Amino acid sequence: MSGILAIYPGSFDPLTNGHLDLIERGRQLFDHLVVAILTNLEKDPLFTTEERVTMLREATAGMGNVSIDTFTGLLVDYATQKKARVIMRGVRAFSDYEYELQMALMNRKLQPHLETVFLMPAESYSYISSRLVKEIFRHGGSVKGLVPPVVEEMLQQKVFPS
Ligand code: PNS
């Protein structure tokens, strides 16, 4: 594959409109963007890996240069195996920065040829997080506009199965 391949790694438990906003921005910057879902989450995920793949595939259908993949183990090993040049991460607020900087510098130490690029989502998405979406939904609040419709449906089936 020619051009710059970027990896956008994350838990995506679940995918939010903030993530989607970043995917849209990333796919305009890079030749190819691989959204990579971490499968060996230390935290117990609400959605299985397969369900997270499904929601990402549906929400990015029609985005020509975006593909969805899963990975285990170290991100730098996965990115090297994919021949990626860039790791893309989103920074919403200053509070994200410390953790993101630490990860980026550690990843650089492990694999100097990989560059981490931070993108900011639209301000209107800057307060959305997967954790809050789950919390709101579990307590009966509306997540309309916070997640794509496919995720809303999957949350309904998962949290309040009929
Ligand atoms: O969406 P998240 O949970 O903030 O994503 C975190 C993620 C998946 C990017 C991070 O936990 C990760 O890269 N994990 C893979 C293991 C790894 O490489 N750890 C060392 C990071 S310096």
Side-chain angles (χ1 to χ4, degrees), residues 36-54:
I37 305 167
L38 180 67
T39 60
N40 55 340
L41 289 182
E42 279 167 24
K43 38 196 171 181
D44 200 17
L46 176 64
F47 289 99
T48 65
T49 303
E50 292 69 28
E51 288 166 337
R52 287 180 278 145
V53 168
T54 299

mmCIF file with all atom_site columns, all heavy atoms in Angstrom, residues 36-54:
data_model
loop_
_atom_site.group_PDB
_atom_site.id
_atom_site.type_symbol
_atom_site.label_atom_id
_atom_site.label_alt_id
_atom_site.label_comp_id
_atom_site.label_asym_id
_atom_site.label_entity_id
_atom_site.label_seq_id
_atom_site.pdbx_PDB_ins_code
_atom_site.Cartn_x
_atom_site.Cartn_y
_atom_site.Cartn_z
_atom_site.occupancy
_atom_site.B_iso_or_equiv
_atom_site.pdbx_formal_charge
_atom_site.auth_seq_id
_atom_site.auth_comp_id
_atom_site.auth_asym_id
_atom_site.auth_atom_id
_atom_site.pdbx_PDB_model_num
ATOM 1   N N   . ALA A 1 36 ? -8.317  0.504   14.867 1.00 0.00 ? 36 ALA A N   1
ATOM 2   C CA  . ALA A 1 36 ? -7.884  -0.764  15.469 1.00 0.00 ? 36 ALA A CA  1
ATOM 3   C C   . ALA A 1 36 ? -8.461  -0.897  16.876 1.00 0.00 ? 36 ALA A C   1
ATOM 4   O O   . ALA A 1 36 ? -8.158  -0.098  17.766 1.00 0.00 ? 36 ALA A O   1
ATOM 5   C CB  . ALA A 1 36 ? -6.363  -0.835  15.498 1.00 0.00 ? 36 ALA A CB  1
ATOM 6   N N   . ILE A 1 37 ? -9.270  -1.934  17.051 1.00 0.00 ? 37 ILE A N   1
ATOM 7   C CA  . ILE A 1 37 ? -9.959  -2.146  18.327 1.00 0.00 ? 37 ILE A CA  1
ATOM 8   C C   . ILE A 1 37 ? -9.112  -3.070  19.204 1.00 0.00 ? 37 ILE A C   1
ATOM 9   O O   . ILE A 1 37 ? -8.771  -4.182  18.785 1.00 0.00 ? 37 ILE A O   1
ATOM 10  C CB  . ILE A 1 37 ? -11.337 -2.813  18.073 1.00 0.00 ? 37 ILE A CB  1
ATOM 11  C CG1 . ILE A 1 37 ? -12.153 -1.977  17.081 1.00 0.00 ? 37 ILE A CG1 1
ATOM 12  C CG2 . ILE A 1 37 ? -12.082 -3.028  19.374 1.00 0.00 ? 37 ILE A CG2 1
ATOM 13  C CD1 . ILE A 1 37 ? -13.376 -2.712  16.547 1.00 0.00 ? 37 ILE A CD1 1
ATOM 14  N N   . LEU A 1 38 ? -8.805  -2.595  20.400 1.00 0.00 ? 38 LEU A N   1
ATOM 15  C CA  . LEU A 1 38 ? -8.047  -3.433  21.339 1.00 0.00 ? 38 LEU A CA  1
ATOM 16  C C   . LEU A 1 38 ? -8.954  -4.540  21.874 1.00 0.00 ? 38 LEU A C   1
ATOM 17  O O   . LEU A 1 38 ? -10.048 -4.264  22.386 1.00 0.00 ? 38 LEU A O   1
ATOM 18  C CB  . LEU A 1 38 ? -7.522  -2.583  22.500 1.00 0.00 ? 38 LEU A CB  1
ATOM 19  C CG  . LEU A 1 38 ? -6.719  -3.338  23.560 1.00 0.00 ? 38 LEU A CG  1
ATOM 20  C CD1 . LEU A 1 38 ? -5.402  -3.841  22.984 1.00 0.00 ? 38 LEU A CD1 1
ATOM 21  C CD2 . LEU A 1 38 ? -6.459  -2.462  24.772 1.00 0.00 ? 38 LEU A CD2 1
ATOM 22  N N   . THR A 1 39 ? -8.496  -5.787  21.750 1.00 0.00 ? 39 THR A N   1
ATOM 23  C CA  . THR A 1 39 ? -9.381  -6.889  22.161 1.00 0.00 ? 39 THR A CA  1
ATOM 24  C C   . THR A 1 39 ? -9.127  -7.355  23.595 1.00 0.00 ? 39 THR A C   1
ATOM 25  O O   . THR A 1 39 ? -10.028 -7.820  24.260 1.00 0.00 ? 39 THR A O   1
ATOM 26  C CB  . THR A 1 39 ? -9.237  -8.113  21.227 1.00 0.00 ? 39 THR A CB  1
ATOM 27  O OG1 . THR A 1 39 ? -7.891  -8.550  21.291 1.00 0.00 ? 39 THR A OG1 1
ATOM 28  C CG2 . THR A 1 39 ? -9.603  -7.763  19.806 1.00 0.00 ? 39 THR A CG2 1
ATOM 29  N N   . ASN A 1 40 ? -7.896  -7.225  24.071 1.00 0.00 ? 40 ASN A N   1
ATOM 30  C CA  . ASN A 1 40 ? -7.613  -7.716  25.427 1.00 0.00 ? 40 ASN A CA  1
ATOM 31  C C   . ASN A 1 40 ? -7.732  -6.582  26.450 1.00 0.00 ? 40 ASN A C   1
ATOM 32  O O   . ASN A 1 40 ? -6.762  -6.184  27.079 1.00 0.00 ? 40 ASN A O   1
ATOM 33  C CB  . ASN A 1 40 ? -6.234  -8.366  25.510 1.00 0.00 ? 40 ASN A CB  1
ATOM 34  C CG  . ASN A 1 40 ? -5.125  -7.453  25.026 1.00 0.00 ? 40 ASN A CG  1
ATOM 35  O OD1 . ASN A 1 40 ? -5.379  -6.502  24.293 1.00 0.00 ? 40 ASN A OD1 1
ATOM 36  N ND2 . ASN A 1 40 ? -3.909  -7.723  25.432 1.00 0.00 ? 40 ASN A ND2 1
ATOM 37  N N   . LEU A 1 41 ? -8.928  -6.076  26.593 1.00 0.00 ? 41 LEU A N   1
ATOM 38  C CA  . LEU A 1 41 ? -9.138  -4.959  27.512 1.00 0.00 ? 41 LEU A CA  1
ATOM 39  C C   . LEU A 1 41 ? -9.009  -5.423  28.962 1.00 0.00 ? 41 LEU A C   1
ATOM 40  O O   . LEU A 1 41 ? -9.570  -6.438  29.342 1.00 0.00 ? 41 LEU A O   1
ATOM 41  C CB  . LEU A 1 41 ? -10.553 -4.390  27.325 1.00 0.00 ? 41 LEU A CB  1
ATOM 42  C CG  . LEU A 1 41 ? -10.848 -3.630  26.046 1.00 0.00 ? 41 LEU A CG  1
ATOM 43  C CD1 . LEU A 1 41 ? -12.267 -3.107  26.080 1.00 0.00 ? 41 LEU A CD1 1
ATOM 44  C CD2 . LEU A 1 41 ? -9.880  -2.483  25.890 1.00 0.00 ? 41 LEU A CD2 1
ATOM 45  N N   . GLU A 1 42 ? -8.265  -4.649  29.740 1.00 0.00 ? 42 GLU A N   1
ATOM 46  C CA  . GLU A 1 42 ? -8.167  -4.970  31.171 1.00 0.00 ? 42 GLU A CA  1
ATOM 47  C C   . GLU A 1 42 ? -9.518  -4.712  31.833 1.00 0.00 ? 42 GLU A C   1
ATOM 48  O O   . GLU A 1 42 ? -9.997  -5.467  32.648 1.00 0.00 ? 42 GLU A O   1
ATOM 49  C CB  . GLU A 1 42 ? -7.077  -4.132  31.833 1.00 0.00 ? 42 GLU A CB  1
ATOM 50  C CG  . GLU A 1 42 ? -5.697  -4.720  31.586 1.00 0.00 ? 42 GLU A CG  1
ATOM 51  C CD  . GLU A 1 42 ? -4.585  -3.791  31.954 1.00 0.00 ? 42 GLU A CD  1
ATOM 52  O OE1 . GLU A 1 42 ? -4.795  -2.899  32.791 1.00 0.00 ? 42 GLU A OE1 1
ATOM 53  O OE2 . GLU A 1 42 ? -3.480  -3.966  31.395 1.00 0.00 ? 42 GLU A OE2 1
ATOM 54  N N   . LYS A 1 43 ? -10.132 -3.588  31.431 1.00 0.00 ? 43 LYS A N   1
ATOM 55  C CA  . LYS A 1 43 ? -11.465 -3.295  31.942 1.00 0.00 ? 43 LYS A CA  1
ATOM 56  C C   . LYS A 1 43 ? -12.469 -4.195  31.212 1.00 0.00 ? 43 LYS A C   1
ATOM 57  O O   . LYS A 1 43 ? -12.299 -4.480  30.039 1.00 0.00 ? 43 LYS A O   1
ATOM 58  C CB  . LYS A 1 43 ? -11.790 -1.810  31.743 1.00 0.00 ? 43 LYS A CB  1
ATOM 59  C CG  . LYS A 1 43 ? -11.264 -1.241  30.432 1.00 0.00 ? 43 LYS A CG  1
ATOM 60  C CD  . LYS A 1 43 ? -11.244 0.259   30.402 1.00 0.00 ? 43 LYS A CD  1
ATOM 61  C CE  . LYS A 1 43 ? -10.502 0.733   29.148 1.00 0.00 ? 43 LYS A CE  1
ATOM 62  N NZ  . LYS A 1 43 ? -10.385 2.119   28.983 1.00 0.00 ? 43 LYS A NZ  1
ATOM 63  N N   . ASP A 1 44 ? -13.498 -4.616  31.947 1.00 0.00 ? 44 ASP A N   1
ATOM 64  C CA  . ASP A 1 44 ? -14.476 -5.533  31.390 1.00 0.00 ? 44 ASP A CA  1
ATOM 65  C C   . ASP A 1 44 ? -15.362 -4.777  30.400 1.00 0.00 ? 44 ASP A C   1
ATOM 66  O O   . ASP A 1 44 ? -16.150 -3.923  30.810 1.00 0.00 ? 44 ASP A O   1
ATOM 67  C CB  . ASP A 1 44 ? -15.310 -6.070  32.569 1.00 0.00 ? 44 ASP A CB  1
ATOM 68  C CG  . ASP A 1 44 ? -16.005 -7.355  32.215 1.00 0.00 ? 44 ASP A CG  1
ATOM 69  O OD1 . ASP A 1 44 ? -15.608 -7.988  31.222 1.00 0.00 ? 44 ASP A OD1 1
ATOM 70  O OD2 . ASP A 1 44 ? -16.965 -7.704  32.925 1.00 0.00 ? 44 ASP A OD2 1
ATOM 71  N N   . PRO A 1 45 ? -15.267 -5.058  29.092 1.00 0.00 ? 45 PRO A N   1
ATOM 72  C CA  . PRO A 1 45 ? -16.049 -4.267  28.141 1.00 0.00 ? 45 PRO A CA  1
ATOM 73  C C   . PRO A 1 45 ? -17.530 -4.639  28.136 1.00 0.00 ? 45 PRO A C   1
ATOM 74  O O   . PRO A 1 45 ? -17.887 -5.781  28.423 1.00 0.00 ? 45 PRO A O   1
ATOM 75  C CB  . PRO A 1 45 ? -15.408 -4.587  26.791 1.00 0.00 ? 45 PRO A CB  1
ATOM 76  C CG  . PRO A 1 45 ? -14.761 -5.902  26.967 1.00 0.00 ? 45 PRO A CG  1
ATOM 77  C CD  . PRO A 1 45 ? -14.427 -6.060  28.425 1.00 0.00 ? 45 PRO A CD  1
ATOM 78  N N   . LEU A 1 46 ? -18.379 -3.673  27.820 1.00 0.00 ? 46 LEU A N   1
ATOM 79  C CA  . LEU A 1 46 ? -19.819 -3.942  27.679 1.00 0.00 ? 46 LEU A CA  1
ATOM 80  C C   . LEU A 1 46 ? -20.060 -4.741  26.406 1.00 0.00 ? 46 LEU A C   1
ATOM 81  O O   . LEU A 1 46 ? -20.826 -5.684  26.380 1.00 0.00 ? 46 LEU A O   1
ATOM 82  C CB  . LEU A 1 46 ? -20.596 -2.615  27.647 1.00 0.00 ? 46 LEU A CB  1
ATOM 83  C CG  . LEU A 1 46 ? -22.097 -2.702  27.413 1.00 0.00 ? 46 LEU A CG  1
ATOM 84  C CD1 . LEU A 1 46 ? -22.800 -3.434  28.558 1.00 0.00 ? 46 LEU A CD1 1
ATOM 85  C CD2 . LEU A 1 46 ? -22.703 -1.299  27.252 1.00 0.00 ? 46 LEU A CD2 1
ATOM 86  N N   . PHE A 1 47 ? -19.385 -4.333  25.319 1.00 0.00 ? 47 PHE A N   1
ATOM 87  C CA  . PHE A 1 47 ? -19.583 -4.980  24.017 1.00 0.00 ? 47 PHE A CA  1
ATOM 88  C C   . PHE A 1 47 ? -18.419 -5.927  23.707 1.00 0.00 ? 47 PHE A C   1
ATOM 89  O O   . PHE A 1 47 ? -17.260 -5.617  24.004 1.00 0.00 ? 47 PHE A O   1
ATOM 90  C CB  . PHE A 1 47 ? -19.700 -3.930  22.909 1.00 0.00 ? 47 PHE A CB  1
ATOM 91  C CG  . PHE A 1 47 ? -20.980 -3.148  22.968 1.00 0.00 ? 47 PHE A CG  1
ATOM 92  C CD1 . PHE A 1 47 ? -21.003 -1.885  23.544 1.00 0.00 ? 47 PHE A CD1 1
ATOM 93  C CD2 . PHE A 1 47 ? -22.159 -3.676  22.474 1.00 0.00 ? 47 PHE A CD2 1
ATOM 94  C CE1 . PHE A 1 47 ? -22.191 -1.161  23.614 1.00 0.00 ? 47 PHE A CE1 1
ATOM 95  C CE2 . PHE A 1 47 ? -23.353 -2.960  22.539 1.00 0.00 ? 47 PHE A CE2 1
ATOM 96  C CZ  . PHE A 1 47 ? -23.363 -1.702  23.106 1.00 0.00 ? 47 PHE A CZ  1
ATOM 97  N N   . THR A 1 48 ? -18.753 -7.062  23.085 1.00 0.00 ? 48 THR A N   1
ATOM 98  C CA  . THR A 1 48 ? -17.711 -8.004  22.663 1.00 0.00 ? 48 THR A CA  1
ATOM 99  C C   . THR A 1 48 ? -16.918 -7.367  21.521 1.00 0.00 ? 48 THR A C   1
ATOM 100 O O   . THR A 1 48 ? -17.361 -6.386  20.893 1.00 0.00 ? 48 THR A O   1
ATOM 101 C CB  . THR A 1 48 ? -18.328 -9.315  22.143 1.00 0.00 ? 48 THR A CB  1
ATOM 102 O OG1 . THR A 1 48 ? -19.070 -9.016  20.949 1.00 0.00 ? 48 THR A OG1 1
ATOM 103 C CG2 . THR A 1 48 ? -19.248 -9.954  23.170 1.00 0.00 ? 48 THR A CG2 1
ATOM 104 N N   . THR A 1 49 ? -15.782 -7.962  21.228 1.00 0.00 ? 49 THR A N   1
ATOM 105 C CA  . THR A 1 49 ? -14.970 -7.469  20.108 1.00 0.00 ? 49 THR A CA  1
ATOM 106 C C   . THR A 1 49 ? -15.792 -7.494  18.825 1.00 0.00 ? 49 THR A C   1
ATOM 107 O O   . THR A 1 49 ? -15.790 -6.532  18.051 1.00 0.00 ? 49 THR A O   1
ATOM 108 C CB  . THR A 1 49 ? -13.725 -8.361  19.936 1.00 0.00 ? 49 THR A CB  1
ATOM 109 O OG1 . THR A 1 49 ? -13.001 -8.357  21.171 1.00 0.00 ? 49 THR A OG1 1
ATOM 110 C CG2 . THR A 1 49 ? -12.824 -7.851  18.841 1.00 0.00 ? 49 THR A CG2 1
ATOM 111 N N   . GLU A 1 50 ? -16.519 -8.595  18.592 1.00 0.00 ? 50 GLU A N   1
ATOM 112 C CA  . GLU A 1 50 ? -17.314 -8.730  17.355 1.00 0.00 ? 50 GLU A CA  1
ATOM 113 C C   . GLU A 1 50 ? -18.364 -7.618  17.270 1.00 0.00 ? 50 GLU A C   1
ATOM 114 O O   . GLU A 1 50 ? -18.595 -7.056  16.201 1.00 0.00 ? 50 GLU A O   1
ATOM 115 C CB  . GLU A 1 50 ? -18.009 -10.095 17.297 1.00 0.00 ? 50 GLU A CB  1
ATOM 116 C CG  . GLU A 1 50 ? -17.090 -11.292 17.136 1.00 0.00 ? 50 GLU A CG  1
ATOM 117 C CD  . GLU A 1 50 ? -16.218 -11.581 18.373 1.00 0.00 ? 50 GLU A CD  1
ATOM 118 O OE1 . GLU A 1 50 ? -16.658 -11.250 19.503 1.00 0.00 ? 50 GLU A OE1 1
ATOM 119 O OE2 . GLU A 1 50 ? -15.103 -12.090 18.202 1.00 0.00 ? 50 GLU A OE2 1
ATOM 120 N N   . GLU A 1 51 ? -18.992 -7.302  18.399 1.00 0.00 ? 51 GLU A N   1
ATOM 121 C CA  . GLU A 1 51 ? -20.005 -6.238  18.388 1.00 0.00 ? 51 GLU A CA  1
ATOM 122 C C   . GLU A 1 51 ? -19.373 -4.880  18.107 1.00 0.00 ? 51 GLU A C   1
ATOM 123 O O   . GLU A 1 51 ? -19.941 -4.054  17.372 1.00 0.00 ? 51 GLU A O   1
ATOM 124 C CB  . GLU A 1 51 ? -20.742 -6.212  19.735 1.00 0.00 ? 51 GLU A CB  1
ATOM 125 C CG  . GLU A 1 51 ? -21.680 -7.390  19.918 1.00 0.00 ? 51 GLU A CG  1
ATOM 126 C CD  . GLU A 1 51 ? -22.165 -7.589  21.354 1.00 0.00 ? 51 GLU A CD  1
ATOM 127 O OE1 . GLU A 1 51 ? -21.489 -7.134  22.317 1.00 0.00 ? 51 GLU A OE1 1
ATOM 128 O OE2 . GLU A 1 51 ? -23.214 -8.230  21.532 1.00 0.00 ? 51 GLU A OE2 1
ATOM 129 N N   . ARG A 1 52 ? -18.192 -4.669  18.642 1.00 0.00 ? 52 ARG A N   1
ATOM 130 C CA  . ARG A 1 52 ? -17.519 -3.381  18.383 1.00 0.00 ? 52 ARG A CA  1
ATOM 131 C C   . ARG A 1 52 ? -17.061 -3.280  16.927 1.00 0.00 ? 52 ARG A C   1
ATOM 132 O O   . ARG A 1 52 ? -17.125 -2.217  16.326 1.00 0.00 ? 52 ARG A O   1
ATOM 133 C CB  . ARG A 1 52 ? -16.358 -3.190  19.374 1.00 0.00 ? 52 ARG A CB  1
ATOM 134 C CG  . ARG A 1 52 ? -16.876 -2.875  20.783 1.00 0.00 ? 52 ARG A CG  1
ATOM 135 C CD  . ARG A 1 52 ? -15.773 -2.691  21.792 1.00 0.00 ? 52 ARG A CD  1
ATOM 136 N NE  . ARG A 1 52 ? -15.298 -3.964  22.296 1.00 0.00 ? 52 ARG A NE  1
ATOM 137 C CZ  . ARG A 1 52 ? -14.038 -4.240  22.615 1.00 0.00 ? 52 ARG A CZ  1
ATOM 138 N NH1 . ARG A 1 52 ? -13.101 -3.309  22.474 1.00 0.00 ? 52 ARG A NH1 1
ATOM 139 N NH2 . ARG A 1 52 ? -13.689 -5.413  23.086 1.00 0.00 ? 52 ARG A NH2 1
ATOM 140 N N   . VAL A 1 53 ? -16.645 -4.415  16.360 1.00 0.00 ? 53 VAL A N   1
ATOM 141 C CA  . VAL A 1 53 ? -16.300 -4.426  14.931 1.00 0.00 ? 53 VAL A CA  1
ATOM 142 C C   . VAL A 1 53 ? -17.549 -4.093  14.114 1.00 0.00 ? 53 VAL A C   1
ATOM 143 O O   . VAL A 1 53 ? -17.508 -3.257  13.201 1.00 0.00 ? 53 VAL A O   1
ATOM 144 C CB  . VAL A 1 53 ? -15.720 -5.806  14.507 1.00 0.00 ? 53 VAL A CB  1
ATOM 145 C CG1 . VAL A 1 53 ? -15.648 -5.921  12.990 1.00 0.00 ? 53 VAL A CG1 1
ATOM 146 C CG2 . VAL A 1 53 ? -14.346 -6.029  15.117 1.00 0.00 ? 53 VAL A CG2 1
ATOM 147 N N   . THR A 1 54 ? -18.683 -4.711  14.460 1.00 0.00 ? 54 THR A N   1
ATOM 148 C CA  . THR A 1 54 ? -19.930 -4.483  13.717 1.00 0.00 ? 54 THR A CA  1
ATOM 149 C C   . THR A 1 54 ? -20.321 -3.011  13.748 1.00 0.00 ? 54 THR A C   1
ATOM 150 O O   . THR A 1 54 ? -20.653 -2.421  12.710 1.00 0.00 ? 54 THR A O   1
ATOM 151 C CB  . THR A 1 54 ? -21.071 -5.336  14.340 1.00 0.00 ? 54 THR A CB  1
ATOM 152 O OG1 . THR A 1 54 ? -20.706 -6.698  14.246 1.00 0.00 ? 54 THR A OG1 1
ATOM 153 C CG2 . THR A 1 54 ? -22.390 -5.106  13.639 1.00 0.00 ? 54 THR A CG2 1
#
